[in-house]
Amino acid sequence: MTDGRLAGGCLCGAVRFASDARPITVRHCWCRDCQHVSGGAGTINVFLPSDTVMVEGAVRWFDSVADSGTPLSRGFCATCGSPLFTQSHARRHLIGIRVGAFDDPAPHAPAMAIWTISAPDWATIDPELPRVERQPPPAA
């Protein structure tokens, strides 16, 4: 699946996604959950309208409650375990896609850093980015 303007997939290639939509926002999240998912450095998530994202392959979902108190689902490749998606139960119309899963991550620079209060002292956060200590208002 590569016919969409945005495309990507997991490490092993078992899951592919594509969308013709423009990103709504891109956020670098430093919450503790994202630090766990990334292996330490937080996650960078590109948010798109859910109904524009086509997915092929087996995605396994894990539900938890975020530091904000919001129930979330996180999607991983069922084969290789690559983290791919995040979705708030309160905002199912949006889906976050991990920037590293895109075939070309270069255009998806973060617009803000969130949950910076949870970032470790050694974290490198772009000084040009707006910072939000906790959860910002939802993306449009």
Side-chain angles (χ1 to χ4, degrees):
M1 180 185 318
T2 59
D3 57 347
R5 181 177 56 220
L6 302 175
C10 65
L11 180 63
C12 73
V15 175
R16 294 290 300 164
F17 63 83
S19 175
D20 287 327
R22 293 189 183 276
I24 294 166
T25 191
V26 182
R27 293 179 172 171
H28 189 174
C29 183
W30 283 95
C31 77
R32 287 296 297 139
D33 287 350
C34 282
Q35 290 177 51
H36 283 277
V37 170
S38 76
T43 63
I44 301 174
N45 303 286
V46 177
F47 288 90
L48 298 167
S50 299
D51 62 357
T52 70
V53 179
M54 307 293 284
V55 178
E56 292 178 352
V59 175
R60 185 166 183 186
W61 293 89
F62 176 75
D63 290 341
S64 64
V65 176
D67 289 341
S68 65
T70 302
L72 294 176
S73 295
R74 290 180 177 84
F76 304 82
C77 171
T79 303
C80 69
S82 293
L84 300 169
F85 308 112
T86 187
Q87 191 169 42
S88 165
H89 292 196
R91 291 175 290 287
R92 295 258 186 214
H93 65 286
L94 299 176
I95 189 164
I97 302 176
R98 308 293 186 215
V99 74
F102 284 93
D103 293 339
D104 182 7
H108 307 297
M112 71 171 44
I114 66 173
W115 283 95
T116 57
I117 197 165
S118 301
D121 292 340
W122 51 259
T124 302
I125 301 173
D126 183 342
E128 299 296 316
L129 287 181
R131 295 179 184 210
V132 179
E133 283 191 354
R134 291 185 170 78
Q135 186 67 31

